[in-house]
Amino acid sequence: MDQEDVKLEGQIREKLVRTKERWAEEGRLLTGTTADPTRERLPPGQTLVKDWPVLDLGVQPDVSTAKFRLRLEGLVENRLAFDWEGFMALPQTDMVCDIHCVTQWSRYDNRFTGVSTATLLELARPRPEARFVSMTSYDGYTTNLTLEAFAAADVMVAHSWEGAPITRQHGGPVRLVLPRLYFWKSPKWLTRIELLAEDRPGFWEVRGYHNQGDPWLEERYG
Ligand SMILES: Nc1nc2c(c(=O)[nH]1)N[C@H]1C(S)=C(S)[C@@H](COP(=O)(O)O)O[C@H]1N2
Ligand SMILES: [Mo]
């Protein structure tokens, strides 16, 4: 895959982006409370939904498994680059988790299958200076995490949901699933994971959204 494949595409819905920027400026939906995830299941200010909403920039890249590549690079001893067969040959794991979007909806009990980030990191061997992660998707979207958040035991690069391939609209062939942070931290159509010494804020993080995004601390904006 070439770098040009991951430029932010021109057709993104500017109006939608502006609206979400304005929500950040206005502090929309903030309840000013926090919650303890060991005692409550729904984070503050969230509403439970049954369907699975679709949220993105309005560009849903059509990434065939033939074209698919996943790279893990940057501050690692061993750079990784997988094609579809290589990725699917990695050890697989399953998890059931809740997801929480900053636009207020939460959805319980989503079963994902994929490769844990722990497995990927074990193969790549982060250098001691690596402290942050920047991820890039086929639609040009980026988001950032601490290496610690990325490496947590319940984080995976998922290819299936409820036993079937993740659909294009939900980020297939593969997306990150990181249930402990707001869902904008879980990039769809994932293609590049880069380990860094310095933090590199992503698409929403430079547009008024919180750098960490913990729903239990209601870290919506920042
Ligand atoms: N590549 C990419 N990933 C993305 C986004 C995006 O615009 N592009 N939107 C994020 C946001 S804001 C949310 S809430 C979730 C939505 O995932 P879903 O559409 O599967 O519900 O994807 C996140 N990952
Ligand atoms: Mo979101």
Side-chain angles (χ1 to χ4, degrees), residues 21-91:
E21 279 181 309
R22 201 170 55 243
W23 290 355
E25 284 156 22
E26 293 167 355
R28 183 177 175 268
L29 307 174
L30 286 176
T31 66
T33 56
T34 60
D36 176 355
T38 64
R39 301 179 49 167
E40 272 164 272
R41 192 161 179 190
L42 197 63
Q46 293 296 109
T47 304
L48 194 59
V49 299
K50 290 270 182 260
D51 295 332
W52 186 6
V54 172
L55 268 100
D56 49 53
L57 304 174
V59 178
Q60 298 181 337
D62 190 1
V63 184
S64 64
T65 53
K67 178 181 157 195
F68 168 79
R69 297 289 184 276
L70 179 68
R71 297 170 193 281
L72 199 163
E73 54 198 23
L75 297 173
V76 294
E77 300 297 344
N78 189 26
R79 293 170 59 139
L80 307 178
F82 299 104
D83 61 10
W84 183 249
E85 285 69 32
F87 178 76
M88 294 304 279
L90 293 168

Coordinates of all heavy atoms in Angstrom, one line a residue, residues 21-91:
E21 N -17.4 19.6 15.8 CA -16.5 20.6 16.4 C -17.3 21.5 17.3 O -16.8 21.9 18.4 CB -15.8 21.4 15.3 CG -14.6 20.7 14.7 CD -13.9 21.5 13.6 OE1 -14.6 22.0 12.7 OE2 -12.7 21.7 13.7
R22 N -18.5 21.9 16.9 CA -19.3 22.9 17.6 C -19.7 22.2 18.9 O -19.7 22.9 20.0 CB -20.5 23.4 16.8 CG -21.0 24.7 17.3 CD -22.0 25.3 16.4 NE -23.1 24.4 16.1 CZ -23.4 23.9 14.9 NH1 -22.7 24.2 13.9 NH2 -24.4 23.0 14.7
W23 N -20.1 21.0 18.9 CA -20.5 20.3 20.1 C -19.3 20.3 21.1 O -19.5 20.5 22.3 CB -20.8 18.8 19.8 CG -22.0 18.6 19.1 CD1 -22.9 19.5 18.7 CD2 -22.5 17.3 18.6 NE1 -24.0 19.0 18.0 CE2 -23.7 17.6 17.9 CE3 -22.1 16.0 18.6 CZ2 -24.5 16.6 17.3 CZ3 -22.8 15.0 18.0 CH2 -24.0 15.3 17.3
A24 N -18.1 20.2 20.7 CA -16.9 20.2 21.6 C -16.8 21.6 22.2 O -16.6 21.8 23.4 CB -15.7 19.8 20.8
E25 N -17.0 22.6 21.3 CA -16.9 24.0 21.8 C -17.9 24.3 22.9 O -17.6 25.0 23.9 CB -17.0 25.0 20.6 CG -15.8 25.1 19.7 CD -16.2 25.6 18.3 OE1 -17.2 26.3 18.2 OE2 -15.4 25.3 17.4
E26 N -19.1 23.8 22.6 CA -20.2 24.0 23.6 C -20.3 23.1 24.8 O -21.1 23.3 25.7 CB -21.6 23.9 22.8 CG -21.7 25.0 21.7 CD -22.9 24.7 20.8 OE1 -23.5 23.5 20.9 OE2 -23.2 25.5 19.9
G27 N -19.5 22.1 24.7 CA -19.5 21.1 25.8 C -20.8 20.3 25.8 O -21.3 20.0 26.9
R28 N -21.4 20.1 24.7 CA -22.7 19.4 24.6 C -22.7 18.1 25.3 O -21.7 17.4 25.3 CB -23.0 19.2 23.1 CG -24.4 18.6 22.8 CD -24.6 18.6 21.3 NE -25.8 17.9 21.0 CZ -25.9 16.6 20.7 NH1 -24.8 15.8 20.8 NH2 -27.0 16.0 20.4
L29 N -23.8 17.8 25.9 CA -24.1 16.5 26.6 C -23.3 16.3 27.9 O -23.5 15.3 28.6 CB -23.7 15.3 25.7 CG -24.2 15.2 24.3 CD1 -23.6 14.0 23.6 CD2 -25.7 15.0 24.4
L30 N -22.5 17.3 28.3 CA -21.7 17.1 29.6 C -22.7 17.1 30.8 O -23.5 18.0 31.0 CB -20.7 18.2 29.7 CG -19.4 18.1 28.8 CD1 -18.5 19.3 29.0 CD2 -18.7 16.8 29.1
T31 N -22.5 16.0 31.6 CA -23.3 16.0 32.8 C -22.5 16.5 34.0 O -23.1 16.7 35.1 CB -23.8 14.6 33.1 OG1 -22.7 13.8 33.4 CG2 -24.6 14.0 31.9
G32 N -21.2 16.5 33.9 CA -20.4 17.0 34.9 C -20.2 15.9 36.0 O -19.8 16.2 37.2
T33 N -20.5 14.7 35.7 CA -20.4 13.6 36.7 C -19.4 12.5 36.2 O -19.2 12.4 35.0 CB -21.7 13.0 37.1 OG1 -22.3 12.5 35.8 CG2 -22.7 14.0 37.7
T34 N -19.0 11.7 37.1 CA -18.2 10.5 36.7 C -18.9 9.3 37.2 O -19.9 9.4 38.0 CB -16.8 10.6 37.3 OG1 -16.9 10.6 38.7 CG2 -16.0 11.8 36.8
A35 N -18.5 8.1 36.8 CA -19.1 6.9 37.3 C -18.1 5.8 37.5 O -17.0 5.9 36.9 CB -20.2 6.4 36.4
D36 N -18.4 4.9 38.4 CA -17.5 3.8 38.7 C -17.8 2.6 37.9 O -18.9 2.0 38.1 CB -17.6 3.5 40.2 CG -16.7 2.4 40.6 OD1 -16.1 1.7 39.7 OD2 -16.7 2.1 41.8
P37 N -17.0 2.2 36.9 CA -17.3 1.1 36.0 C -17.5 -0.2 36.7 O -18.1 -1.1 36.2 CB -16.2 1.1 35.0 CG -15.0 1.8 35.7 CD -15.6 2.8 36.6
T38 N -17.0 -0.3 38.0 CA -17.3 -1.6 38.7 C -18.7 -1.6 39.3 O -19.1 -2.7 39.8 CB -16.2 -1.8 39.8 OG1 -16.3 -0.8 40.8 CG2 -14.8 -1.8 39.2
R39 N -19.3 -0.5 39.4 CA -20.7 -0.4 40.0 C -21.8 -0.1 39.0 O -22.9 -0.5 39.2 CB -20.7 0.6 41.1 CG -19.7 0.3 42.2 CD -19.6 1.3 43.3 NE -21.0 1.5 43.8 CZ -21.3 2.2 44.9 NH1 -20.3 2.7 45.6 NH2 -22.5 2.4 45.2
E40 N -21.4 0.6 37.9 CA -22.5 0.9 37.0 C -22.0 0.5 35.6 O -20.9 0.6 35.2 CB -22.7 2.5 37.0 CG -23.7 2.9 38.0 CD -23.6 4.4 38.3 OE1 -22.9 4.7 39.2 OE2 -24.3 5.1 37.6
R41 N -23.0 0.2 34.8 CA -22.7 -0.3 33.4 C -22.7 0.8 32.4 O -21.9 0.8 31.4 CB -23.6 -1.4 33.0 CG -23.1 -2.1 31.8 CD -23.7 -3.5 31.6 NE -23.2 -4.1 30.4 CZ -23.7 -5.2 29.9 NH1 -24.7 -5.8 30.5 NH2 -23.2 -5.8 28.8
L42 N -23.6 1.8 32.6 CA -23.7 2.9 31.6 C -23.0 4.1 32.1 O -23.2 4.6 33.1 CB -25.2 3.2 31.4 CG -25.6 4.0 30.2 CD1 -25.3 3.2 28.9 CD2 -27.1 4.4 30.3
P43 N -22.0 4.6 31.3 CA -21.2 5.8 31.7 C -22.1 7.0 31.7 O -23.2 7.0 31.1 CB -20.2 5.9 30.6 CG -20.1 4.6 29.9 CD -21.5 4.0 30.0
P44 N -21.7 8.1 32.4 CA -22.5 9.3 32.6 C -22.9 9.9 31.2 O -22.1 10.0 30.3 CB -21.6 10.2 33.4 CG -20.3 9.6 33.4 CD -20.4 8.2 33.1
G45 N -24.2 10.3 31.1 CA -24.7 11.0 30.0 C -24.9 10.1 28.7 O -25.3 10.6 27.7
Q46 N -24.8 8.8 28.9 CA -25.0 7.9 27.7 C -26.4 7.4 27.7 O -27.1 7.3 28.7 CB -24.0 6.7 27.8 CG -22.5 7.1 27.7 CD -22.2 7.7 26.3 OE1 -21.9 8.9 26.2 NE2 -22.1 6.9 25.3
T47 N -26.8 7.0 26.5 CA -28.1 6.4 26.3 C -27.9 5.0 25.6 O -27.2 4.9 24.6 CB -29.0 7.3 25.3 OG1 -29.1 8.6 25.9 CG2 -30.4 6.7 25.2
L48 N -28.6 4.0 26.1 CA -28.5 2.7 25.6 C -29.2 2.5 24.3 O -30.4 3.0 24.2 CB -29.0 1.7 26.6 CG -28.7 0.2 26.4 CD1 -27.2 0.0 26.4 CD2 -29.3 -0.6 27.6
V49 N -28.6 1.9 23.3 CA -29.3 1.6 22.0 C -29.2 0.1 21.7 O -28.3 -0.6 22.3 CB -28.7 2.4 20.8 CG1 -28.8 3.9 21.0 CG2 -27.2 2.0 20.6
K50 N -30.1 -0.4 20.9 CA -30.2 -1.8 20.5 C -29.5 -2.0 19.2 O -28.8 -3.0 19.0 CB -31.6 -2.3 20.5 CG -32.2 -2.4 21.9 CD -31.9 -3.8 22.6 CE -32.6 -3.9 23.9 NZ -31.6 -3.7 25.0
D51 N -29.8 -1.1 18.2 CA -29.2 -1.2 16.9 C -27.7 -0.7 17.0 O -27.4 -0.1 18.0 CB -29.9 -0.3 15.9 CG -31.3 -0.8 15.7 OD1 -31.5 -2.1 15.8 OD2 -32.2 0.0 15.4
W52 N -27.0 -0.9 16.0 CA -25.6 -0.4 16.0 C -25.5 0.7 15.0 O -25.4 0.5 13.8 CB -24.6 -1.6 15.6 CG -23.2 -1.3 15.8 CD1 -22.6 -0.1 16.3 CD2 -22.1 -2.1 15.4 NE1 -21.3 -0.2 16.2 CE2 -20.9 -1.4 15.7 CE3 -22.0 -3.4 14.8 CZ2 -19.6 -1.9 15.4 CZ3 -20.7 -3.9 14.6 CH2 -19.6 -3.2 14.9
P53 N -25.4 2.0 15.6 CA -25.3 3.1 14.7 C -24.0 3.1 13.9 O -23.0 2.5 14.3 CB -25.3 4.3 15.6 CG -25.9 3.8 16.9 CD -25.5 2.4 17.0
V54 N -24.0 3.8 12.8 CA -22.8 4.0 11.9 C -22.3 5.4 12.1 O -23.0 6.3 11.8 CB -23.1 3.6 10.5 CG1 -21.8 4.0 9.6 CG2 -23.4 2.2 10.3
L55 N -21.0 5.6 12.5 CA -20.4 6.9 12.5 C -19.1 7.0 11.9 O -18.2 6.2 12.2 CB -20.3 7.3 14.0 CG -21.5 8.1 14.5 CD1 -22.4 7.2 15.3 CD2 -21.1 9.3 15.3
D56 N -18.9 7.9 11.0 CA -17.6 8.1 10.3 C -17.7 9.4 9.7 O -18.6 10.2 9.9 CB -17.3 6.9 9.4 CG -18.4 6.6 8.4 OD1 -18.9 7.6 7.8 OD2 -18.9 5.4 8.4
L57 N -16.7 9.7 8.8 CA -16.6 11.0 8.2 C -17.4 11.1 6.9 O -17.3 12.0 6.1 CB -15.1 11.3 7.9 CG -14.2 11.3 9.1 CD1 -12.7 11.5 8.7 CD2 -14.6 12.3 10.2
G58 N -18.1 10.0 6.6 CA -18.9 10.0 5.4 C -18.2 9.3 4.2 O -18.8 9.2 3.2
V59 N -17.0 8.9 4.4 CA -16.3 8.2 3.4 C -16.1 6.7 3.9 O -15.5 6.6 5.0 CB -14.9 8.8 3.2 CG1 -14.1 8.0 2.2 CG2 -15.0 10.2 2.8
Q60 N -16.6 5.8 3.2 CA -16.5 4.4 3.7 C -15.7 3.6 2.7 O -16.2 3.1 1.7 CB -17.9 3.8 3.9 CG -18.7 4.5 5.0 CD -20.0 3.9 5.2 OE1 -20.6 3.2 4.4 NE2 -20.6 4.2 6.4
P61 N -14.4 3.6 2.8 CA -13.5 2.9 1.8 C -13.9 1.5 1.6 O -14.2 0.8 2.6 CB -12.1 3.1 2.4 CG -12.2 3.4 3.8 CD -13.6 4.0 4.0
D62 N -13.8 1.1 0.4 CA -14.1 -0.3 0.0 C -12.7 -1.1 -0.1 O -12.1 -1.0 -1.1 CB -14.8 -0.3 -1.4 CG -15.4 -1.7 -1.7 OD1 -15.2 -2.6 -0.9 OD2 -16.0 -1.8 -2.8
V63 N -12.4 -1.7 1.0 CA -11.1 -2.3 1.1 C -11.2 -3.8 0.9 O -11.7 -4.5 1.8 CB -10.4 -2.0 2.4 CG1 -9.0 -2.6 2.5 CG2 -10.3 -0.5 2.7
S64 N -10.8 -4.4 -0.2 CA -11.0 -5.8 -0.4 C -9.9 -6.5 0.4 O -8.9 -5.9 0.8 CB -10.7 -6.1 -1.9 OG -9.4 -5.8 -2.2
T65 N -10.1 -7.8 0.7 CA -9.1 -8.5 1.4 C -7.9 -8.7 0.6 O -6.8 -8.9 1.1 CB -9.6 -9.9 1.9 OG1 -10.2 -10.6 0.8 CG2 -10.7 -9.7 3.0
A66 N -8.0 -8.6 -0.7 CA -6.8 -8.7 -1.6 C -5.9 -7.5 -1.5 O -4.7 -7.6 -1.5 CB -7.3 -8.9 -3.1
K67 N -6.6 -6.3 -1.3 CA -5.8 -5.1 -1.2 C -5.3 -4.8 0.2 O -4.4 -4.1 0.5 CB -6.7 -4.0 -1.7 CG -6.1 -2.6 -1.6 CD -7.1 -1.5 -2.1 CE -6.8 -0.1 -1.5 NZ -7.9 0.8 -1.6
F68 N -6.0 -5.4 1.2 CA -5.8 -5.1 2.6 C -4.3 -5.3 3.0 O -3.7 -6.3 2.7 CB -6.7 -6.1 3.5 CG -6.3 -6.1 4.9 CD1 -6.7 -5.1 5.7 CD2 -5.5 -7.1 5.4 CE1 -6.3 -5.1 7.1 CE2 -5.2 -7.2 6.8 CZ -5.6 -6.1 7.6
R69 N -3.8 -4.4 3.8 CA -2.5 -4.5 4.5 C -2.6 -3.9 5.9 O -3.3 -2.9 6.0 CB -1.3 -3.8 3.8 CG -1.0 -4.3 2.3 CD -0.4 -5.7 2.4 NE 0.0 -6.1 1.0 CZ -0.8 -6.7 0.1 NH1 -2.1 -6.9 0.5 NH2 -0.4 -7.0 -1.0
L70 N -2.0 -4.6 6.8 CA -1.9 -4.0 8.1 C -0.4 -3.9 8.5 O 0.3 -4.9 8.5 CB -2.6 -4.8 9.2 CG -2.6 -4.3 10.6 CD1 -3.3 -2.9 10.7 CD2 -3.1 -5.3 11.6
R71 N 0.0 -2.7 8.8 CA 1.4 -2.5 9.2 C 1.5 -2.1 10.7 O 0.7 -1.3 11.2 CB 2.1 -1.4 8.4 CG 2.2 -1.8 6.9 CD 2.6 -0.5 6.1 NE 2.3 -0.8 4.7 CZ 3.2 -1.5 3.9 NH1 4.3 -2.1 4.5 NH2 2.8 -1.8 2.7
L72 N 2.6 -2.5 11.3 CA 2.9 -2.0 12.7 C 4.4 -1.6 12.6 O 5.2 -2.5 12.3 CB 2.7 -3.1 13.7 CG 2.5 -2.6 15.2 CD1 1.9 -3.7 16.1 CD2 3.8 -2.2 15.8
E73 N 4.6 -0.3 12.8 CA 6.0 0.2 12.6 C 6.3 1.3 13.5 O 5.5 1.6 14.4 CB 6.1 0.6 11.1 CG 5.1 1.5 10.6 CD 5.0 1.6 9.1 OE1 5.3 0.6 8.4 OE2 4.5 2.6 8.6
G74 N 7.4 2.0 13.2 CA 7.8 3.1 14.2 C 8.8 2.5 15.1 O 9.7 1.8 14.7
L75 N 8.7 2.8 16.4 CA 9.7 2.4 17.4 C 9.5 0.9 17.8 O 9.1 0.7 18.9 CB 9.6 3.3 18.6 CG 10.0 4.8 18.2 CD1 9.7 5.7 19.4 CD2 11.4 4.9 17.7
V76 N 9.8 0.0 16.9 CA 9.7 -1.4 17.2 C 11.0 -2.1 16.7 O 11.7 -1.6 15.8 CB 8.5 -2.1 16.5 CG1 7.2 -1.6 17.0 CG2 8.6 -1.9 15.0
E77 N 11.3 -3.2 17.3 CA 12.5 -4.0 16.9 C 12.2 -4.7 15.6 O 13.1 -4.9 14.8 CB 12.9 -5.0 17.9 CG 13.2 -4.5 19.3 CD 14.5 -3.6 19.3 OE1 15.2 -3.6 18.3 OE2 14.6 -2.8 20.3
N78 N 11.0 -5.0 15.4 CA 10.6 -5.9 14.3 C 9.3 -5.3 13.6 O 8.2 -5.5 14.1 CB 10.3 -7.3 14.9 CG 10.1 -8.3 13.8 OD1 10.6 -8.2 12.7 ND2 9.4 -9.3 14.2
R79 N 9.5 -4.6 12.5 CA 8.4 -4.1 11.8 C 7.5 -5.2 11.2 O 8.0 -6.2 10.7 CB 8.8 -3.2 10.6 CG 9.6 -2.0 11.0 CD 10.2 -1.3 9.8 NE 9.2 -1.0 8.8 CZ 9.2 0.1 8.1 NH1 10.2 1.0 8.3 NH2 8.3 0.4 7.2
L80 N 6.2 -5.0 11.3 CA 5.3 -6.0 10.8 C 4.5 -5.5 9.7 O 4.1 -4.3 9.6 CB 4.3 -6.4 11.9 CG 4.9 -6.9 13.3 CD1 3.7 -7.2 14.3 CD2 5.8 -8.1 13.2
A81 N 4.2 -6.4 8.7 CA 3.3 -6.0 7.6 C 2.6 -7.3 7.2 O 3.2 -8.3 6.8 CB 4.1 -5.5 6.4
F82 N 1.3 -7.3 7.3 CA 0.5 -8.5 7.1 C -0.4 -8.2 5.9 O -1.0 -7.2 5.7 CB -0.4 -8.8 8.2 CG 0.3 -9.1 9.5 CD1 0.4 -8.2 10.5 CD2 0.9 -10.3 9.7 CE1 1.1 -8.4 11.7 CE2 1.6 -10.6 10.8 CZ 1.7 -9.7 11.9
D83 N -0.5 -9.2 5.0 CA -1.6 -9.2 4.1 C -2.8 -10.0 4.8 O -2.6 -10.4 5.9 CB -1.2 -9.8 2.7 CG -0.7 -11.3 2.8 OD1 -0.9 -11.9 3.9 OD2 -0.2 -11.8 1.9
W84 N -3.9 -10.2 4.1 CA -5.0 -10.8 4.7 C -4.7 -12.2 5.3 O -5.1 -12.5 6.4 CB -6.2 -10.9 3.7 CG -7.4 -11.4 4.3 CD1 -8.0 -12.6 4.1 CD2 -8.2 -10.8 5.4 NE1 -9.1 -12.8 4.8 CE2 -9.3 -11.7 5.7 CE3 -8.1 -9.6 6.0 CZ2 -10.2 -11.4 6.6 CZ3 -9.1 -9.3 7.0 CH2 -10.1 -10.2 7.3
E85 N -4.1 -13.1 4.5 CA -3.8 -14.4 4.9 C -2.9 -14.4 6.1 O -3.1 -15.2 7.1 CB -3.1 -15.2 3.8 CG -4.1 -15.7 2.7 CD -4.6 -14.5 1.8 OE1 -3.8 -13.6 1.6 OE2 -5.8 -14.6 1.4
G86 N -1.9 -13.5 6.1 CA -0.9 -13.4 7.2 C -1.6 -13.0 8.5 O -1.4 -13.5 9.6
F87 N -2.5 -12.0 8.3 CA -3.2 -11.5 9.5 C -4.1 -12.6 10.1 O -4.1 -12.8 11.3 CB -4.1 -10.3 9.1 CG -4.9 -9.7 10.3 CD1 -4.3 -9.0 11.3 CD2 -6.2 -10.0 10.4 CE1 -5.0 -8.5 12.4 CE2 -7.0 -9.5 11.4 CZ -6.3 -8.8 12.4
M88 N -4.9 -13.3 9.2 CA -5.8 -14.3 9.7 C -5.1 -15.6 10.3 O -5.7 -16.3 11.0 CB -6.7 -14.8 8.6 CG -7.7 -13.7 8.1 SD -8.7 -13.0 9.4 CE -10.0 -14.2 9.5
A89 N -3.8 -15.7 9.9 CA -3.0 -16.8 10.5 C -2.5 -16.6 11.9 O -2.0 -17.5 12.5 CB -1.9 -17.2 9.5
L90 N -2.7 -15.3 12.4 CA -2.2 -15.0 13.7 C -3.2 -15.6 14.8 O -4.3 -15.9 14.4 CB -2.2 -13.5 13.9 CG -1.1 -12.8 13.1 CD1 -1.4 -11.2 13.1 CD2 0.3 -13.1 13.6
P91 N -2.7 -15.8 16.0 CA -3.6 -16.4 17.0 C -4.8 -15.5 17.2 O -4.7 -14.3 17.3 CB -2.7 -16.3 18.3 CG -1.3 -16.3 17.8 CD -1.3 -15.6 16.5

